[in-house]
């Protein structure tokens, strides 16, 4: 038998269910450790290398489209809160229910994604998510009775979460993943910039027409469905042969992994910070700083613009100088910016500080996903990275809901201590993330121990 080298698309690799490479024999004391990267594979082994972005560009384009659509969904609610309340005659507690129901959609996806992917494949799961999101936006555009409007957020959350899991897993498996993950999440930020701008412009023109905004994400979702169908066409009718038992085994293994659980908790707080800040800053500036509703919606876009810029500008310095130390530095500066926002009651200063906060925390999600792909073996990526990404995104609904529920009793000023607490919590969780050896898994997608699959060459 001969040894072959195969470049394979990330999604195909994750679902191939290859066994890890054979471990090295015990090392004799005093001898140097074996180099996993240069270790000669056994005869008949197939060595898998991460594909280049150019070789899978249609799929990368679809993944970025999914993230743009997710940004449109996540950032719109905060800008529309001042218009939802009089339209439905509700208080902040009922507005917070929107986030709670959205969280249940994310939570459902966190535990079902591995099973959906096993049955439909990455392309099929992404297509299902896109269809669910389009259906939710069609319902929201209709401005249904409030209970049905709230229920649409479960469908939207489930749809966005399925796409988020596939996009992060796929892009995390290409060469130079840290760069492409930075772009992926910057595109999410672009969607999050556009949403408050469009929502504020539409609602400010006629407050009764706020729901017309949802025509925008619905139209984008239809185009996105066509793009996903084209990009993943070759795999849509040929899903991977993965049994329910195998999917269940992978999920159990994921839930027993300390790095997975710590990263999931870190992302849960991080995304909670991101969406709580972007979602409630408009209401805070209106009620606590006396800002005009027709203008404060643009401050939310400033936050998302800062976050997008941070993901682009800080991606390479973070990678070169070390993710661990740079995230700690960003967190320290973010806490300082947040404290200035809290204690300086000046709208312009607040707008600058919230944008700076977005810039500083922007790299956290792509950096964390990149770290996960280097900490975890390849065969865990679909279950583990999907779970980490989706469970973390659940924070985008959980903490905005909790903030709204408390704000309904004591006022929206509670936003400030909530954000400080979330940032401090992230410091502790990032400290608990295992260290990644320099150079490990640099090509994207997993540690060296899983680069050689014991699949016999034909």
């Amino acid at each position: 038998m001969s040894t072959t080298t195969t470049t394979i698309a990330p999604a195909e690799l994750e679902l191939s269910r290859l066994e890890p490479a054979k471990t090295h024999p015990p090392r004799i004391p005093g001898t140097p450790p074996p180099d996993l990267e240069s270790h000669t594979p056994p005869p008949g082994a197939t060595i898998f290398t991460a594909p280049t972005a150019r070789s899978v560009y249609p799929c990368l384009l679809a993944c970025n489209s999914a993230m743009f659509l997710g940004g449109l969904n996540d950032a719109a609610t905060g800008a529309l809160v001042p218009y939802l309340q009089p339209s439905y005659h509700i208080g902040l507690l009922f507005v917070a229910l929107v986030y709670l129901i959205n969280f249940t959609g994310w939570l459902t996806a966190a535990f079902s994604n591995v099973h959906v992917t096993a049955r439909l494949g990455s392309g099929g799961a992404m297509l299902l998510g896109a269809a669910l999101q389009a259906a939710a936006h069609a319902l929201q555009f209709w401005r249904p009775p409030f209970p049905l409007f709230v229920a649409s957020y479960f469908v939207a959350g489930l749809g966005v979460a399925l796409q988020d899991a596939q996009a992060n897993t796929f892009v995390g498996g290409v060469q130079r993943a840290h760069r492409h993950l930075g772009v992926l999440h910057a595109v999410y930020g672009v969607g999050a910039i556009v949403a408050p701008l469009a929502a504020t412009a539409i609602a400010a023109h006629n407050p009764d027409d706020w729901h017309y905004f949802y025509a925008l994400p619905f139209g984008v979702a239809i185009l996105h469905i066509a793009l996903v169908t084209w990009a993943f066409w070759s795999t849509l009718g040929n899903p991977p042969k993965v049994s329910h038992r195998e999917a269940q085994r992978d999920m159990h293994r994921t839930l027993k992994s300390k790095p997975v659980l710590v990263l999931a908790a870190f992302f849960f707080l991080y995304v909670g910070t991101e969406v709580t800040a972007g979602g409630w800053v408009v209401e805070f500036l209106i009620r606590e700083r006396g800002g005009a509703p027709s203008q404060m919606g643009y401050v939310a876009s400033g936050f998302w613009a800062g976050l997008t810029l941070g993901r682009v500008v800080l991606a390479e310095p973070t990678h070169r100088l070390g993710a661990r130390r740079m995230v700690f530095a960003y967190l320290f500066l973010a806490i300082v910016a947040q404290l200035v926002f809290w204690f300086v009651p000046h709208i312009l200063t607040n707008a600058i500080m919230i944008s700076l906060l977005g810039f500083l925390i922007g790299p956290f999600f792509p950096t964390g996903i990149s770290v996960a792909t280097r900490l975890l073996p390849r065969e865990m990526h679909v279950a583990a990275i999907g779970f980490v990404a989706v469970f973390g995104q659940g924070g985008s609904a959980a903490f905005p809901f909790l903030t709204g529920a408390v704000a309904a009793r004591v006022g929206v000023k509670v936003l400030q201590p909530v954000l400080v607490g979330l940032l401090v919590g992230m410091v502790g969780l990032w400290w608990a993330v295992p260290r990644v050896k320099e150079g490990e898994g640099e090509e994207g997608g997993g540690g060296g121990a899983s680069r050689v699959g014991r699949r016999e060459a034909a």
Side-chain angles (χ1 to χ4, degrees):
M1 292 184 179
S2 61
T3 300
T4 60
T5 302
T6 304
T7 300
I8 188 167
E12 297 174 40
L13 175 61
E14 309 306 345
L15 293 167
S16 59
R17 294 293 180 262
L18 303 179
E19 299 176 23
K22 292 181 178 179
T23 56
H24 295 276
R27 182 163 59 92
I28 300 174
T31 62
D35 182 357
L36 288 174
E37 298 299 321
S38 62
H39 175 64
T40 302
T46 299
I47 306 172
F48 292 97
T49 59
T52 63
R54 180 173 296 181
S55 67
V56 290
Y57 78 90
C59 296
L60 285 179
L61 190 60
C63 290
N64 280 276
S65 174
M67 296 302 284
F68 177 79
L69 192 55
L72 282 178
N73 176 79
D74 291 351
T77 307
L80 292 174
V81 165
Y83 306 97
L84 285 172
Q85 291 179 269
S87 179
Y88 283 116
H89 307 289
I90 55 175
L92 289 179
L93 181 60
F94 284 95
V95 172
L97 281 177
V98 167
Y99 291 108
L100 176 64
I101 299 303
N102 192 234
F103 172 69
T104 62
W106 282 97
L107 192 62
T108 301
F111 292 97
S112 63
N113 170 66
V114 65
H115 299 286
V116 173
T117 307
R119 294 300 179 95
L120 302 180
S122 291
M126 185 173 286
L127 188 60
L128 174 62
L132 289 172
Q133 190 174 355
H137 293 321
L139 189 61
Q140 291 160 348
F141 174 72
W142 171 46
R143 195 172 73 173
F146 187 69
L148 196 54
F149 179 77
V150 171
S152 72
Y153 275 80
F154 172 83
V155 180
L158 181 59
V160 173
L162 288 174
Q163 296 177 84
D164 187 88
Q166 305 309 319
N168 279 286
T169 302
F170 191 96
V171 178
V174 302
Q175 291 184 21
R176 297 177 179 174
H178 71 282
R179 294 180 182 175
H180 299 293
L181 284 166
V183 172
L184 181 77
H185 289 277
V187 170
Y188 170 90
V190 172
I193 294 170
V194 171
L197 290 174
T200 300
I202 292 171
H205 182 265
N206 186 348
D208 291 334
D209 293 339
W210 59 267
H211 59 288
Y212 287 171
F213 160 78
Y214 288 103
L216 172 62
F218 174 73
V220 173
I222 296 301
L223 295 175
H224 172 60
I225 288 172
L227 178 58
V228 172
T229 303
W230 169 67
F232 290 93
W233 180 258
S234 62
T235 63
L236 288 179
N238 185 30
K241 309 298 182 185
V242 181
S243 68
H244 173 75
R245 181 174 296 179
E246 287 177 307
Q248 194 68 37
R249 180 199 65 197
D250 288 350
M251 195 67 211
H252 286 162
R253 185 181 178 189
T254 293
L255 295 176
K256 291 180 180 179
S257 170
K258 178 183 175 181
V260 169
L261 297 179
V262 174
L263 281 168
F266 175 80
F267 284 143
F268 191 73
L269 296 192
Y270 164 68
V271 183
T273 303
E274 176 185 285
V275 180
T276 300
W280 285 106
V281 66
V282 174
E283 192 71 8
F284 175 84
L285 292 175
I286 291 172
R287 295 200 178 201
E288 299 295 324
R289 300 291 194 250
S294 60
Q295 298 175 347
M296 293 304 99
Y298 299 115
V299 176
S301 285
F303 168 78
W304 293 111
L307 182 135
T308 302
L309 187 63
R311 287 175 173 175
V312 175
V313 173
L314 299 179
E316 198 62 30
T318 302
H319 178 72
R320 290 184 179 276
L321 299 177
R324 186 175 181 85
R325 68 172 64 93
M326 293 308 294
V327 169
F328 279 130
Y330 299 149
L331 278 169
F332 172 76
L333 295 174
I335 291 172
V336 172
Q338 174 55 33
L339 290 174
V340 173
F341 179 29
W342 186 353
F343 293 109
V344 178
H346 185 268
I347 288 180
L348 180 59
T349 301
N350 292 170
I352 293 172
M353 287 300 104
I354 198 69
S355 299
L356 179 60
L357 175 65
F359 178 78
L360 291 167
I361 68 174
F364 289 5
F365 203 100
T367 297
I369 293 294
S370 181
V371 167
T373 62
R374 295 161 65 189
L375 278 174
L376 303 171
R378 285 185 186 273
E379 62 270 13
M380 285 186 67
H381 282 189
V382 161
I385 295 179
F387 177 81
V388 163
V390 174
F391 185 82
Q393 287 284 357
S396 69
F399 289 106
F401 164 72
L402 292 174
T403 302
V406 177
R409 296 181 64 87
V410 302
V412 76
K413 60 186 177 183
V414 73
L415 172 68
Q416 303 296 356
V418 167
L419 291 179
V420 172
L422 289 171
L423 290 168
V424 172
M426 278 191 280
V427 173
L429 287 170
W430 189 248
W431 183 267
V433 173
R435 294 177 181 270
V436 179
K437 294 181 181 179
E438 294 298 326
E440 184 177 300
E442 287 298 324
E443 288 188 0
S450 295
R451 291 200 176 194
V452 180
R454 289 174 54 204
R455 186 170 71 182
E456 297 299 314

